[in-house]
Amino acid sequence: MGFALTILVGTALLMLPNSRVGPGAASFLEALFTATSAVCVTGLTVVDTAVYWTPFGQVVILLLIQIGGFGIMSFASVVGLAIARKLSLRSRITAAAETKSVGLEDVKGLVLGVVRISLAIEITVAVLLALRFMLGYGEPVGRAIWLGVFHSVSSFNNAGFALFSDNLMGFATDAWICVPISAAIILGGLGFPVIVQLRRQLRTRPFSWSIRTWTMNTRIVLAGTIVLLTLGTAYITVVEWSNPNTLGPFDWAGKLLAGFFQAVQTRTAGFNSIDIGQMDSASLLGMDVLMLIGGGPAGTAGGIKITTFAVLFFILWTELRGEVAVNVFGKRLSRAVHREAITIVLLAVGVIISATAALMLLTDISMDALLFEAISAFATVGLSTGITAGLPWGGQVILILLMFIGRLGPITIGSAMALRERHTTYELPKERPIIG
């Protein structure tokens, strides 16, 4: 309800006449789609953000991205702290649920730590980008600062909104633009629990870090991020190396930078430095997988999350080896985690397949493009082959629902819609069907 209300407020603000360039106001669907994409930190658009929205409209989008990326309940908790200087039990419970906190005693410190980390990263990246826009491209000081702030917030929150009509294609080989944005995306995609733990260790033991003291969540997220970024960069760069419409015109350094940048975007940020619509179908399929996996939990990233994918991988590895318990980094996984991971993946696949089938019935667009769009919306990525604006209103409504479900998570939506929670006091006899 909090996310839905924020989206409706953003829609109303974007429908104001002073939010749109030119006479009249934005249509309800245009405003709703943009507000949903901003609050759900997706980045899919049906209009050109750079020329369609006025500075006021762009500020509204920026605020929606910040609130949506930080989390509605966490944002409400910060407001409550600012006003009342304390958190009620209800606020602590809701903030703990959203930030995936284990206990209630440290919620206040965790929420405030998240605010400090977010602002520190966003300010640092904003300064770097503003200096580059001002010194490297001759932008006026005010314009350079605005570009730096907007793209910094958009990148750390994994939103993918850009203030250029071609997104970031004009900066494909500019490391001073692509690297800070990529760094912000990676940090935002790690998830706040990982960032907070690393920050605490840096403050308490800056010269004596020990991986053994990290939680299983931190180890899985960091290892998974490194592996997926490496494989994604290699895969995209190799497949697109000779494509004259993407990486072909660049030198080897530019190809590596652009390949890395696009691999980073599959962490659920929707920037693009090359034309996604001109990429090879094999690249799109590989990006489908990376987008579906997403980033770390309890952060600004979407997808089923690295931890969910890792749990499924270790379950598979354990079954193939004939072992009983699933062990990860010297610890045993709870069977409840097995069921949760399987549930999330099956729900996600079911939602994506259903949405893709519905889009295929509404349009004549190829399945690979529609599947890419559906996964991008559900995983709150924002990458597009360029078909979003051309979809019929029914198709755009489907993408709106996908973004909303993907941001909150299928289990959250399913639990909210459940009529009641059942508690059984008995167990039925066991019987085993033939598997495989």
Side-chain angles (χ1 to χ4, degrees):
M1 290 177 63
F3 269 87
L5 180 60
T6 304
I7 290 171
L8 291 178
V9 172
T11 301
L13 291 175
L14 291 177
M15 289 181 67
L16 296 175
N18 60 337
S19 292
R20 177 191 172 184
V21 175
S27 68
F28 174 74
L29 186 57
E30 290 171 340
L32 176 63
F33 193 100
T34 304
T36 304
S37 184
V39 173
C40 297
V41 290
T42 305
L44 288 175
T45 58
V46 291
V47 295
D48 189 341
T49 306
V51 299
Y52 188 86
W53 303 109
T54 62
F56 173 79
Q58 293 172 358
V59 169
V60 170
I61 293 173
L62 184 68
L63 292 176
L64 293 176
I65 291 172
Q66 187 71 78
I67 294 173
F70 185 51
I72 303 300
M73 295 299 102
S74 300
F75 179 78
S77 299
V78 172
V79 174
L81 282 171
I83 296 175
R85 300 294 179 183
K86 62 180 181 180
L87 285 176
S88 65
L89 178 61
R90 181 182 297 274
S91 297
R92 287 160 61 194
I93 292 174
T94 53
E98 190 167 57
T99 57
K100 301 295 189 293
S101 179
V102 176
L104 297 180
E105 66 281 352
D106 63 338
V107 169
K108 178 179 177 180
L110 176 61
V111 170
L112 292 178
V114 167
V115 173
R116 298 189 189 100
I117 291 170
S118 299
L119 293 179
I121 295 174
E122 289 174 353
I123 290 173
T124 301
V125 175
V127 170
L128 294 175
L129 293 178
L131 289 174
R132 181 56 178 169
F133 284 125
M134 183 171 55
L135 301 177
Y137 296 93
E139 295 283 358
V141 176
R143 169 72 174 170
I145 293 175
W146 171 237
L147 290 174
V149 170
F150 188 94
H151 292 92
S152 172
V153 173
S154 183
S155 57
F156 178 71
N157 289 284
N158 283 211
F161 280 88
L163 294 181
F164 301 97
S165 296
D166 61 352
N167 206 276
L168 297 180
M169 291 176 61
F171 311 101
T173 58
D174 189 340
W176 293 100
I177 297 292
C178 293
V179 172
I181 287 178
S182 297
I185 292 169
I186 293 171
L187 290 173
L190 290 178
F192 292 122
V194 174
I195 298 177
V196 168
Q197 182 176 30
L198 296 179
R199 175 174 173 266
R200 286 174 180 172
Q201 285 206 353
L202 185 63
R203 293 177 60 184
T204 58
R205 293 183 297 175
F207 303 107
S208 59
W209 277 30
S210 176
I211 297 178
R212 289 179 295 179
T213 63
W214 292 353
T215 63
M216 181 189 294
N217 181 78
T218 297
R219 296 188 194 184
I220 291 176
V221 171
L222 290 177
T225 298
I226 294 172
V227 170
L228 292 175
L229 282 177
T230 302
L231 294 179
T233 300
Y235 183 81
I236 294 174
T237 304
V238 169
V239 175
E240 297 294 326
W241 187 271
S242 301
N243 188 337
N245 298 314
T246 55
L247 301 185
F250 304 147
D251 57 19
W252 68 269
K255 292 178 180 180
L256 291 177
L257 177 62
F260 168 74
F261 187 79
Q262 286 310 137
V264 171
Q265 305 318 305
T266 61
R267 316 310 305 145
T268 78
F271 294 110
N272 64 282
S273 61
I274 56 178
D275 190 347
I276 303 297
Q278 298 297 321
M279 295 182 74
D280 191 277
S281 296
S283 296
L284 297 181
L285 182 59
M287 293 170 71
D288 285 341
V289 176
L290 294 172
M291 291 191 300
L292 182 60
I293 296 173
T300 60
I304 62 172
K305 304 298 188 294
I306 293 175
T307 46
T308 304
F309 177 78
V311 166
L312 291 181
F313 172 79
F314 285 116
I315 291 175
L316 173 65
W317 183 247
T318 300
E319 192 66 26
L320 292 176
R321 296 181 63 181
E323 298 177 352
V324 178
V326 179
N327 301 316
V328 181
F329 296 129
K331 298 291 182 67
R332 179 171 56 86
L333 282 180
S334 167
R335 293 191 181 276
V337 176
H338 304 186
R339 296 193 299 270
E340 186 176 356
I342 293 172
T343 301
I344 289 175
V345 172
L346 290 179
L347 285 175
V349 172
V351 169
I352 291 170
I353 291 177
S354 300
T356 303
L359 290 172
M360 291 175 67
L361 293 174
L362 292 174
T363 68
D364 296 326
I365 302 174
S366 63
M367 188 188 73
D368 57 345
L370 292 176
L371 177 63
F372 187 90
E373 209 81 5
I375 294 178
S376 180
F378 175 81
T380 66
V381 179
L383 292 173
S384 174
T385 56
I387 65 174
T388 309
L391 292 175
W393 69 268
Q396 294 181 4
V397 169
I398 290 174
L399 293 184
I400 289 174
L401 293 175
L402 282 174
M403 289 187 287
F404 189 78
I405 295 172
R407 181 66 179 95
L408 294 178
I411 286 186
T412 303
I413 298 294
S415 300
M417 296 177 64
L419 296 178
R420 64 190 178 94
E421 186 178 358
R422 299 182 61 184
H423 296 282
T424 58
T425 58
Y426 60 89
E427 289 186 358
L428 297 175
K430 291 183 179 180
E431 185 173 354
R432 179 171 180 166
I434 299 174
I435 303 296

